[in-house]
């Protein structure tokens, strides 16, 4: 096998009208974009160029390898693009969920605040709630005294006084 | 490469017929220089089997004038390989035509050894030195078609060998056609009808000096210069136009070697242009 002397014997015999010697040179330099520009995809591996090469160069083999490399590159790019799409979609979903959770929290807080304010208004405006509490305690105290549960009665009495004291 | 060597045999035959045994000495000298340097560089004799060093020495030897001393011819052959081919990585990698590197180096390093070797004034030299004569006055004293004199037979021999190479498909038509068209159109543009300042008609330039030898055996070197078909056409055009330019304004009567070397230098640029302008999807 001799080096390529660019004699051009492969050029007129190519049925696809390619320039095999230039293609061979591009692939030898690992320049896939240039090889693609020179029509690497169009090579049908008919071996005409290889049969006419006076240097006995493995042209068809190199073109096949180049096409395989191009295919592998295309597949890798497709996988990469798919992964990127998935990742971006997941990121979007996560961001949306986060925003929704934040909004819900904000709403819960507003609700709690509103309730607290309402309770405040209730306790200051109408002391019905404290009265009910006092009545319930009194009922429980009466029941405890009737059943002679002394410890409970003491605790309930203390609670009743504590309820009266701050107001 | 043997085929190309065979195709130059008519040229050698005409030279031997016209000048006797004299052209054989520089031819042998150039061959010896080229082969010796290649073998010494690789320290092997088997490297000579591809015939490339042989062809370089052969073409250079054919281009040298008959009176060149064999020692200078040997030096030129050694320079051809040592400057033009081996430093670039050997076979298939030289950007310049090694034979023309050797010839140009010889012409610049020891011009007298070459110019004194000329047997009589060549038509190109006498046209350049015709001092005040119009082209037709000059033609009257010079024999042969278009005043090309003895060079006309040599040009016919080159033409015959070149056409045979084309027929055998050993060379493509792009570079020779480009060279002829480039030289003829440049000569046509420079020709003013034959005044004393005129550079000579296009047909004279095609058949004078080493035009046709260069068109079929020198610019067609597949390794040096452009590699794509359009690139080779463009390189031929440039070499032809430059040949006329060197002939009319250069310091030497002929300028084929310099024109070819400059065109070789532009070859990769022509290739890049050709590849860039190529349609994306070739015919299927």
């Amino acid at each position: 096998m001799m080096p390529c002397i660019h004699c051009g014997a492969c050029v007129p015999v190519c049925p696809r009208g390619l320039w095999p010697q230039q293609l061979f040179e591009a692939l030898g330099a690992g320049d896939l974009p240039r090889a693609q520009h020179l029509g690497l995809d169009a090579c049908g591996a008919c071996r005409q160029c290889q049969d006419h090469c006076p240097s006995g160069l493995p042209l068809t083999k190199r073109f096949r390898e180049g096409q395989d490399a191009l295919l592998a590159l295309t597949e890798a790019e497709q996988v990469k693009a798919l992964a990127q799409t998935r990742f971006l979609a997941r990121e979007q979903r996560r961001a949306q969920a986060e925003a929704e959770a934040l909004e819900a929290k904000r709403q819960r807080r507003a609700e709690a605040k509103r309730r607290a304010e309402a309770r405040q208004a209730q306790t200051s405006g109408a002391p019905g709630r404290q009265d009910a509490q006092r009545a319930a305690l009194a009922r429980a105290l009466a029941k405890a005294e009737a059943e002679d549960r002394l410890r409970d009665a003491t605790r309930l009495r203390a609670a009743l006084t504590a309820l009266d004291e701050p107001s | 490469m043997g085929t190309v060597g065979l195709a130059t045999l008519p040229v050698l035959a005409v030279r031997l017929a016209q000048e006797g045994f004299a052209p054989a000495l520089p031819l042998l000298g150039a061959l010896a220089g080229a082969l010796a340097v290649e073998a010494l560089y690789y320290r092997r004799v088997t490297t000579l089997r591809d015939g490339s060093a042989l062809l370089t020495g052969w073409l250079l030897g054919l281009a040298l004038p008959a009176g060149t001393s064999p020692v200078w011819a040997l030096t030129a052959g050694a320079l051809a390989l040592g400057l033009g081919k081996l430093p670039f990585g050997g076979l298939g990698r030289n950007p310049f035509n090694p034979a023309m590197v050797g010839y140009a180096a010889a012409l610049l390093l020891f011009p007298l050894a070459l110019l004194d070797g000329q047997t009589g004034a060549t038509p190109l030299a006498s046209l350049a030195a015709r001092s005040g004569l119009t082209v037709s006055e000059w033609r009257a004293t010079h024999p042969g078609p278009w005043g090309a004199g003895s060079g006309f037979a040599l040009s016919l021999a080159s033409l015959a060998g070149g056409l045979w190479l084309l027929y055998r498909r050993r060379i493509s038509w792009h570079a020779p056609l480009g060279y002829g068209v480039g030289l003829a159109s440049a000569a046509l543009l420079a020709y003013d009808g034959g005044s004393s300042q005129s550079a000579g008609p296009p047909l004279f330039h095609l058949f004078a000096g080493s035009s046709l030898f260069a068109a079929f055996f020198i610019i067609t070197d597949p390794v040096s210069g452009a590699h794509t078909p359009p690139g080779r056409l463009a390189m031929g055009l440039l070499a032809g136009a430059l040949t006329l330019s060197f002939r009319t304004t250069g310091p030497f009567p002929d300028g084929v070697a310099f024109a070819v070397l400059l065109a070789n230098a532009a070859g990769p640029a022509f290739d890049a242009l050709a590849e860039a302008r190529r349609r994306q999807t070739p015919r299927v």
Side-chain angles (χ1 to χ4, degrees), chain B residues 41 57 120 127 145-146 166 170 192 195 202 245 250 257 269 282:
Chain B
Y41 180 81
L127 185 77
W146 304 293
L166 278 174
R170 290 310 300 265
D192 60 5
S195 80
S245 163

Side-chain angles (χ1 to χ4, degrees), chain B residues 8-273:
Chain B
T8 60
L9 284 183
V11 177
L12 180 68
V14 169
R15 287 204 64 181
L16 290 176
Q18 286 178 347
E19 305 169 80
F21 187 64
L25 279 180
L27 182 60
L28 291 174
L31 276 176
L35 292 175
V37 166
E38 170 115 341
L40 283 174
Y41 180 81
Y42 290 110
R43 296 192 183 82
R44 281 187 286 121
V45 186
T46 48
T47 183
L48 303 177
R49 271 195 309 212
D50 64 49
S52 58
L54 188 75
L55 185 63
T56 298
W58 182 262
L59 292 175
L60 174 62
L62 281 179
L64 289 172
T68 314
S69 108
V71 181
W72 286 125
L74 189 137
T75 315
L79 286 172
L81 271 284
L83 282 180
K85 180 181 168 195
L86 300 175
F88 296 105
L91 181 63
R93 299 183 191 277
N94 45 298
F96 298 105
N97 188 313
M100 287 303 103
V101 169
Y103 190 87
L107 203 55
L108 294 173
L109 291 174
F110 31 94
L112 294 181
L114 261 62
L115 296 180
D116 288 351
Q118 300 277 13
T119 48
T122 63
L124 275 173
S126 61
L127 185 77
R130 70 189 192 275
S131 64
L133 290 180
T134 64
V135 168
S136 50
E137 283 165 346
W138 171 81
R139 277 271 313 269
T141 56
H142 281 77
W146 304 293
S150 58
F152 185 72
L154 271 177
S155 294
L156 283 188
S158 292
L159 186 64
L163 289 178
W164 183 63
L165 283 180
L166 278 174
Y167 172 71
R168 292 285 309 267
R169 292 176 188 274
R170 290 310 300 265
I171 57 175
S172 77
W173 52 266
H174 301 84
L177 181 75
Y179 189 85
V181 170
L183 179 61
S185 0
L188 196 64
L189 286 175
Y191 191 53
D192 60 5
S195 80
S196 54
Q197 271 89 45
S198 182
L203 276 174
F204 166 77
H205 277 289
L206 273 182
F207 282 94
S210 45
S211 309
L212 290 178
F213 186 75
F216 288 112
F217 300 112
I218 301 299
I219 198 75
T220 50
D221 172 23
V223 177
S224 51
H227 295 155
T228 60
R232 283 178 172 153
L233 188 65
M235 182 177 74
L237 282 166
L238 181 63
L242 283 174
T243 297
L244 187 90
S245 163
F246 275 109
R247 279 178 183 174
T248 50
T249 54
F252 300 106
D254 207 345
V256 165
F258 302 114
V260 167
L261 291 178
L262 280 177
N264 281 347
F270 289 140
D271 276 350
L273 273 175

